[in-house]
Amino acid sequence: MKFGKEFPLQAVPEWREAYMNYNYLKTLLEEILIFRQRQTSSHVNQKPKPSRSLKRKVSLFRAFSGLTNSSSPSKYKEDEVIIVSATQLADEEQGGSECQSYQTSFLRSSEEGGDLELVFFRGLDHEFNKVTRFYKTKVEEAVKQAQELNVQMDALIALRIKVNDPIEVIQQSKEHKMASLDVLNRVKINATTETPRSTVRSVFNSLNMDLNYNKNELKEAQGKLKQAFLEFHEKLRFLKNYAFLNQLAFSKIMKKYDKITSRNASDAYLQMVDESYLSQSDEVAKLIERVEAVFIKHFCNGDRQRGMNTLRPKSKREKHRVTFFVGCFFGCSLALIGAIVRSIHARDLLQGEGQTKYMNTIFPLYSLFGFLVLHMLMYAGNVYFWTRYRVNYSFIFGFKQGTELGFKQVLLLSFGLSVLILAAVLANLEMEMDPDTQNYKTLTELLPLGLVIVVVLIAICPFNIMYRTNRFFFLVCVWHCICAPLYLVTLPDFFLADQFTSQVQLLRNVEFYACYYGWGDFKKRDAATCNNSNVYKVLSIVIAVVPYWIRVLQCIRRFCEGRDSTQAMNGLKYLSTIAAVVSRALYSQNRGTPLRIIAASTSGVATIFSTYWDIVMDWGLLCRNSENPWLRDKLILPSRSIYFITMVLNVILRLAWMQTVLDFHEAPFLHRNALIAIIACLEIIRRGIWNFFRLENEHLNNVGKFRAVKTVPLPFSYEDEYKNL
């Protein structure tokens, strides 16, 4: 792979604006190459005139060096192409600190085409100064962070001594030099409100708590510091890679310049690069060694192999068997669909009473899995495009490095589940078609329930199979959503809650499962008890409201923590949606003109509010004065038209959902449950499209702030006098 394509692939996505703009400099060199080719072609048919080169003419007047001088001849000054000088400037971005700025003087600007080369070196200097300033800023940040971690480690070691065995420690301190326990008198615990217990405690107490010297306190502090060291080490590796890649990029571009212009300017410029802060600074390498030593000693009990595996996890390998099973399950799914269609046609289930009975009972039971598989397929598509366009979804979601699922793994789960579902559907049909088993209708009705049990058991399976890390990550996020607003709201939590708002019909199907099997309707395949129950109807409204109410609580929590008025407006958006959902549900149960007007008005307001929020706030589009009119300054997708098409599609899909629930249009050739399922699928598709642009906007915000590693809250706070020591 050429360096121009490999360079952005190895760069840290959030720092891409700070890297050398290799493609821009390459474009300038291409202009120089085109100019020289034109000059060559214009003189190819002209007879060359005898001329004496400047090099030969000047050499006639050079001082005589003698015949006995055995040293190698020095480089002639007239062969010099550039002179690179460095000046000390006060960098306002670094608080007025001194930084070096490099400027290249091009000595051949008077030659034909020299103006193009002058532009190239000006661009080259700009890129190098940009890279050097950024690198120095990040190194200074890392040094300050290392000092902070030093003080934190002093407190942790003192707390560890105090908690484990203070009497023995006092006895041993007479024989060995032990860490001072005086630091504990100057620190307090930072009680972050991340759990229900800490949230409730923070309501009555200050966030800075006195030390209690217990093991739980020690365990929590040690866990936070361990995570802080992991993130700090990752940042240092990013910096090391940043310096290496940029040095390589400047070397490549200068060699390309020499090749195009037939000059020898790379030696002088690369010598400056080698002598600059970018190459000479060794703070990052030293910090990496110290961090690794501290981490291995204090967090891995001196086990270097375990410590290095934790600090530098191996990259995930692409397994060919995953691709094989994806294709295998996909083929099996198609075959099972064909078999189901043939079975339905043979039983003539689309005609007569059989259709009504199946659509009212069996269809809701299995459509639940259809919604789930479709959402997983949309997520697989999201992962594919996030990976293709370098959206760092793994960092944004906070996945443990190397555990994130690629799109093939998600497809494997999706098609594997679809095979299981379709096989159950076919078995259900075949068991009734077989004369020997058609009397066991109760047994056939239990197949969907058995399938639900299997899926739930797989999700909560404690064994290290079937992507356990990802399953537990998902379950933790689900639990945080259920317990909102007691847990600290992170992006995965509210992102998942937004997914639930697009799966209202799936949640209603879960309610149908509870009613159908709980009240025994499955024994006679009749959902009349559920459909005619007032309690069931009320719970149906409550279940539809729950996902939006979770988002309201999350917005309240985020507003209380950050005092961000945007979160208050976001909460109002979900409240308007709740009003629309309740009014639509009441209208569907009790038809009437007043309810129809209320449902239409509330749904219209909620749709306008939500559509505006999707496009402007979540996607960051409709910026009037941006570089891309009515979009945003930075775009990831190559075509701007995709953004406009997506905005229109978002509006259409939202309106389609509103119209169907309000029964503005009835489809006589489709059963009502089938029509509801189709519109529910359209909402899932809309959510899948929303997911890509929502994370794209989040990624660009991280890029704008050069945020490439997570900020981990530290366990201790200090008095100012001690912190400044």
Side-chain angles (χ1 to χ4, degrees):
M1 183 183 293
K2 292 185 178 180
F3 182 76
K5 295 182 178 180
E6 186 179 0
F7 183 46
L9 295 179
Q10 295 188 13
V12 179
E14 288 75 15
W15 292 355
R16 62 180 183 182
E17 297 294 334
Y19 281 83
M20 187 253 265
N21 195 337
Y22 186 83
N23 290 332
Y24 168 69
L25 296 178
K26 186 178 177 181
T27 302
L28 297 180
L29 290 181
E30 290 175 353
E31 293 178 359
I32 297 174
L33 177 61
I34 292 173
F35 175 81
R36 286 179 170 264
Q37 289 175 345
R38 289 176 179 174
Q39 291 297 106
T40 303
S41 61
S42 62
H43 293 86
V44 69
N45 295 325
Q46 295 181 5
K47 185 177 180 180
K49 296 179 180 180
S51 60
R52 300 166 65 187
S53 65
L54 178 63
K55 178 179 177 180
R56 174 63 179 167
K57 183 182 294 185
V58 174
S59 64
L60 293 176
F61 300 95
R62 185 168 299 282
F64 182 65
S65 59
L67 299 176
T68 59
N69 190 357
S70 60
S71 62
S72 58
S74 61
K75 200 170 189 178
Y76 299 152
K77 287 187 178 181
E78 63 270 12
D79 290 341
E80 290 182 345
V81 179
I82 58 173
I83 296 177
V84 185
S85 58
T87 56
Q88 293 288 340
L89 297 175
D91 191 355
E92 296 181 358
E93 296 179 359
Q94 299 183 28
S97 61
E98 293 289 330
C99 66
Q100 279 191 324
S101 178
Y102 297 90
Q103 184 175 2
T104 302
S105 300
F106 181 57
L107 304 180
R108 306 296 176 88
S109 58
S110 59
E111 295 183 2
E112 193 172 10
D115 54 338
L116 295 176
E117 297 182 52
L118 183 62
V119 171
F120 167 76
F121 280 107
R122 287 178 179 174
L124 189 68
D125 290 340
H126 173 76
E127 295 299 321
F128 185 75
N129 290 326
K130 176 189 73 175
V131 168
T132 305
R133 282 195 297 268
F134 178 82
Y135 182 70
K136 186 176 182 181
T137 302
K138 288 299 180 182
V139 171
E140 291 175 353
E141 290 178 3
V143 171
K144 293 179 181 178
Q145 191 173 352
Q147 295 172 352
E148 179 72 16
L149 290 176
N150 280 339
V151 183
Q152 293 281 329
M153 282 301 302
D154 289 341
L156 177 67
I157 294 174
L159 181 62
R160 185 182 292 171
I161 294 173
K162 186 77 173 178
V163 171
N164 287 338
D165 198 347
I167 298 177
E168 183 180 353
V169 166
I170 294 174
Q171 296 175 351
Q172 293 181 357
S173 62
K174 299 177 183 179
E175 303 176 2
H176 305 282
K177 184 178 180 181
M178 304 296 293
S180 174
L181 301 181
D182 294 337
V183 64
L184 297 178
N185 299 324
R186 304 184 183 95
V187 300
K188 293 183 177 181
I189 285 287
N190 287 329
T192 55
T193 56
E194 295 181 352
T195 63
R197 181 180 178 183
S198 60
T199 300
V200 173
R201 187 173 57 183
S202 67
V203 175
F204 302 99
N205 301 307
S206 173
L207 290 180
N208 291 328
M209 307 294 295
D210 293 331
L211 291 169
N212 295 320
Y213 309 115
N214 55 57
K215 291 187 177 181
N216 290 333
E217 204 170 54
L218 174 61
K219 183 179 179 180
E220 183 179 355
Q222 185 166 300
K224 289 182 178 180
L225 261 184
K226 181 179 180 179
Q227 187 62 34
F229 268 88
L230 288 173
E231 297 297 332
F232 184 55
H233 185 267
E234 185 176 19
K235 181 179 181 178
L236 293 176
R237 289 193 293 114
F238 285 165
L239 280 172
K240 183 178 180 180
N241 180 67
Y242 176 85
F244 171 76
L245 278 181
N246 280 288
Q247 291 177 60
L248 184 59
F250 284 106
S251 174
K252 293 285 186 181
I253 204 69
M254 285 306 302
K255 290 179 179 179
K256 188 177 288 292
Y257 169 81
D258 285 353
K259 183 178 180 181
I260 291 175
T261 61
S262 300
R263 303 188 190 279
N264 188 20
S266 60
D267 291 343
Y269 199 88
L270 295 180
Q271 181 180 357
M272 178 273 296
V273 173
D274 292 338
E275 296 173 355
S276 67
Y277 183 86
L278 185 67
S279 302
Q280 293 296 321
S281 174
D282 60 349
E283 286 96 336
V284 173
K286 291 180 178 178
L287 283 175
I288 290 178
E289 293 179 359
R290 293 169 186 170
V291 168
E292 291 176 352
V294 171
F295 188 85
I296 292 170
K297 179 180 179 180
H298 292 281
F299 298 104
C300 297
N301 295 325
D303 190 340
R304 180 172 180 80
Q305 183 177 359
R306 181 162 67 95
M308 295 307 296
N309 289 337
T310 306
L311 289 171
R312 299 183 179 183
K314 297 180 180 179
S315 58
K316 188 168 54 177
R317 283 185 173 183
E318 186 70 25
K319 298 180 180 179
H320 295 292
R321 67 171 178 265
V322 173
T323 306
F324 169 78
F325 281 111
V326 167
C328 181
F329 288 151
F330 177 69
C332 292
S333 299
L334 293 180
L336 287 170
I337 291 174
I340 291 171
V341 171
R342 182 176 178 276
S343 179
I344 292 175
H345 179 72
R347 284 185 57 84
D348 201 15
L349 293 178
L350 299 180
Q351 302 294 331
E353 296 181 0
Q355 178 194 15
T356 304
K357 188 169 287 189
Y358 265 79
M359 295 305 297
N360 288 334
T361 56
I362 301 300
F363 183 81
L365 296 176
Y366 284 110
S367 61
L368 177 146
F369 298 102
F371 299 145
L372 182 60
V373 170
L374 178 60
H375 214 128
M376 294 173 66
L377 291 175
M378 292 301 299
Y379 180 71
N382 290 146
V383 172
Y384 171 78
F385 285 106
W386 287 333
T387 305
R388 179 177 179 181
Y389 293 107
R390 301 276 290 163
V391 176
N392 197 353
Y393 71 96
S394 176
F395 165 66
I396 294 173
F397 283 133
F399 293 134
K400 186 178 179 181
Q401 187 177 4
T403 63
E404 69 278 4
L405 295 182
F407 76 97
K408 290 184 180 179
Q409 285 80 14
V410 181
L411 286 178
L412 177 65
L413 294 175
S414 304
F415 291 133
L417 181 58
S418 68
V419 169
L420 194 62
I421 298 164
L422 294 172
V425 173
L426 184 61
N428 196 315
L429 295 173
E430 292 297 329
M431 288 176 71
E432 295 200 357
M433 288 182 64
D434 190 348
D436 297 331
T437 59
Q438 63 180 351
N439 293 327
Y440 298 95
K441 291 185 178 180
T442 301
L443 179 62
T444 63
E445 297 298 308
L446 290 176
L447 275 178
L449 180 61
L451 191 58
V452 169
I453 295 174
V454 169
V455 173
V456 171
L457 290 178
I458 292 175
I460 65 175
C461 177
F463 302 110
N464 192 15
I465 57 175
M466 298 187 69
Y467 310 115
R468 182 182 64 176
T469 303
N470 300 90
R471 289 189 286 107
F472 280 19
F473 182 87
F474 172 76
L475 293 175
V476 168
C477 292
V478 171
W479 179 249
H480 287 181
C481 292
I482 294 173
C483 297
L486 298 178
Y487 282 96
L488 179 69
V489 182
T490 59
L491 187 142
D493 297 335
F494 68 75
F495 191 88
L496 180 61
D498 279 326
Q499 309 307 305
F500 286 144
T501 61
S502 294
Q503 285 285 11
V504 171
Q505 193 56 42
L506 181 145
L507 298 177
R508 283 175 170 165
N509 285 5
V510 172
E511 180 197 9
F512 181 77
Y513 263 89
C515 176
Y516 190 68
Y517 290 103
W519 288 353
D521 286 355
F522 70 98
K523 297 178 181 179
K524 52 185 178 180
R525 185 175 287 178
D526 189 359
T529 306
C530 298
N531 296 332
N532 298 329
S533 171
N534 292 328
V535 175
Y536 181 85
K537 294 177 180 179
V538 172
L539 287 177
S540 178
I541 299 175
V542 173
I543 286 174
V545 167
V546 165
Y548 300 101
W549 181 245
I550 290 174
R551 289 295 289 121
V552 171
L553 295 177
Q554 290 177 339
C555 290
I556 293 174
R557 172 69 185 254
R558 296 180 71 189
F559 172 74
C560 294
E561 289 178 345
R563 299 296 177 183
D564 186 2
S565 60
T566 304
Q567 295 302 322
M569 294 298 296
N570 199 16
L572 290 177
K573 179 195 74 173
Y574 287 107
L575 286 176
S576 69
T577 306
I578 290 175
V581 169
V582 173
S583 62
R584 290 198 299 253
L586 291 176
Y587 169 70
S588 64
Q589 296 176 8
N590 302 286
R591 303 301 180 92
T593 302
L595 283 176
R596 187 186 185 101
I597 295 174
I598 295 173
S601 58
T602 54
S603 297
V605 171
T607 299
I608 295 173
F609 201 168
S610 299
T611 302
Y612 171 81
W613 199 272
D614 285 348
I615 297 173
V616 177
M617 305 303 297
D618 291 338
W619 296 354
L621 303 177
L622 290 185
C623 300
R624 189 173 182 179
N625 299 320
S626 69
E627 297 178 2
N628 304 292
W630 297 108
L631 298 177
R632 63 170 98 89
D633 291 334
K634 300 297 182 181
L635 301 175
I636 289 181
L637 298 180
S639 176
R640 290 186 296 180
S641 61
I642 297 177
Y643 293 90
F644 293 105
I645 294 173
T646 303
M647 286 189 283
V648 174
L649 188 61
N650 182 276
V651 175
I652 294 174
L653 291 176
R654 279 195 177 276
L655 290 176
W657 173 261
M658 183 185 68
Q659 291 174 354
T660 303
V661 174
L662 288 173
D663 294 328
F664 287 160
H665 298 284
E666 294 287 350
F669 56 89
L670 280 178
H671 191 274
R672 176 178 174 80
N673 287 340
L675 184 61
I676 292 175
I678 291 174
I679 302 304
C681 291
L682 292 178
E683 170 62 17
I684 295 172
I685 293 172
R686 188 198 67 81
R687 179 59 62 182
I689 297 172
W690 179 90
N691 288 343
F692 174 83
F693 293 98
R694 176 64 181 86
L695 235 66
E696 178 200 23
N697 192 31
E698 185 71 22
H699 173 76
L700 291 175
N701 289 334
N702 290 336
V703 169
K705 299 176 183 178
F706 300 105
R707 198 164 44 191
V709 293
K710 292 185 292 186
T711 302
V712 180
L714 298 176
F716 304 107
S717 60
Y718 317 89
E719 296 178 1
D720 294 337
E721 297 81 4
Y722 180 74
K723 189 175 181 179
N724 294 328
L725 289 178

